[in-house]
Amino acid sequence: MPEWLVLTLAMLAACVVVVIITLLRHRRASDDEDITETPDVIEYMTMWIGVVYAIVLGLAIAGVWEARSAAQDHVQAEAVALHEISERVRVYPPDVRDRIREDVNAYVGHVVTTEWKAMADRGEVTERGTELLDRVRADVTDYEPRTDFEAQAYQPLVDQVTAADQARIARAESTGATMPGVVWFGLVTGGVVTVGMVFALQIRRTARELILAGLFSALIAFLLFLIWDFDAPFSRGVAASTDPFLNLFPGAEG
């Protein structure tokens, strides 16, 4: 099911639930119930519950967005390091240079096709990707420079291999969800309490109040969906992309 459809259904469901509860509450209210006044303490509590929950939502959104941005930075760092390897080996003999470039291209092609799908589906990198990067490392480190010019290029190439490996490890650690289950429990419970406090204000069955209550609940549902969508940097709608690899290795997708 497309994520935009899930979001739409979640927001509609939140609106419908609030409207139905409001209508049922109005129907079951006693004839002598005074709906014109709300105790000051309830208004005060409702205001502060809304403020506290808004702060929590803001911190949660900032946290998952930062995690998503960090995941994209890891992808960028890995792609740049591999591109530097591919470019700097031009000082090596043609057979060595071509072999290293072929292995780098094979690794990048695997990452943007097979491994990216594995990260989205299973939240993990592949063993094949590790083997291909190890092959690149072996190509670089096992070569014995024959000239001073090659010797000067050797250590920077090794450093770029290390940078690519570190970025890959960081990318692997970023594939899973970033929000702990207890935080999700707090977010969902807080949303239910915040929306539930609307009914403590004795809202009536007027079109204006029903629309405002529905929009408020839909906003809460949207923000929770936004946190959920950002929570997995590689597997949901607003996910980290393979653009850094594709920009530096245009033929990576085959």
Side-chain angles (χ1 to χ4, degrees), residues 160-180:
Q160 292 301 323
V161 172
T162 302
D165 189 35
Q166 291 175 342
R168 174 182 170 79
I169 293 173
R171 173 165 60 86
E173 294 175 348
S174 303
T175 54
T178 57
M179 298 288 287

Side-chain angles (χ1 to χ4, degrees), residues 40-126:
D40 292 340
V41 65
I42 294 181
E43 293 183 352
Y44 181 80
M45 291 175 59
T46 302
M47 178 190 69
W48 277 108
I49 287 175
V51 170
V52 171
Y53 189 64
I55 294 174
V56 173
L57 280 177
L59 292 175
I61 292 174
V64 292
W65 178 256
E66 183 179 356
R68 188 264 180 197
S69 299
Q72 188 67 54
D73 291 341
H74 299 325
V75 176
Q76 180 72 33
E78 185 179 4
V80 170
L82 292 168
H83 184 258
E84 284 296 310
I85 295 172
S86 183
E87 291 297 319
R88 293 189 182 198
V89 294
R90 69 180 183 272
V91 302
Y92 282 3
D95 57 331
V96 178
R97 177 192 62 207
D98 294 342
R99 183 176 69 251
I100 293 176
R101 286 179 174 175
E102 287 176 2
D103 288 342
V104 169
N105 291 335
Y107 171 75
V108 173
H110 176 79
V111 168
V112 300
T113 54
T114 306
E115 188 163 88
W116 211 265
K117 189 175 185 302
M119 290 192 301
D121 296 341
R122 303 192 302 272
E124 60 183 18
V125 296
T126 63

Side-chain angles (χ1 to χ4, degrees), residues 88 91-93 143-158:
R88 293 189 182 198
V91 302
Y92 282 3
Y143 177 71
E144 184 177 350
R146 301 173 184 175
T147 65
D148 291 340
F149 191 34
E150 292 179 1
Q152 292 174 2
Y154 177 80
Q155 188 58 48
L157 280 169
V158 173

Side-chain angles (χ1 to χ4, degrees), residues 18-33 35 199 202-206 210:
V18 169
V19 172
I20 290 177
I21 293 177
T22 302
L23 295 178
L24 291 176
R25 181 179 179 278
H26 181 80
R27 179 176 297 180
R28 295 182 178 181
S30 59
D31 295 336
D32 58 349
E33 181 182 9
I35 61 175
F199 302 106
Q202 300 178 339
I203 63 175
R204 292 168 290 181
R205 199 170 55 180
T206 63
L210 288 178

Side-chain angles (χ1 to χ4, degrees), residues 220-235:
I220 297 296
F222 170 75
L223 292 176
L224 289 175
F225 177 87
L226 193 65
I227 295 172
W228 173 82
D229 199 41
F230 286 162
D231 193 29
F234 293 99
S235 61

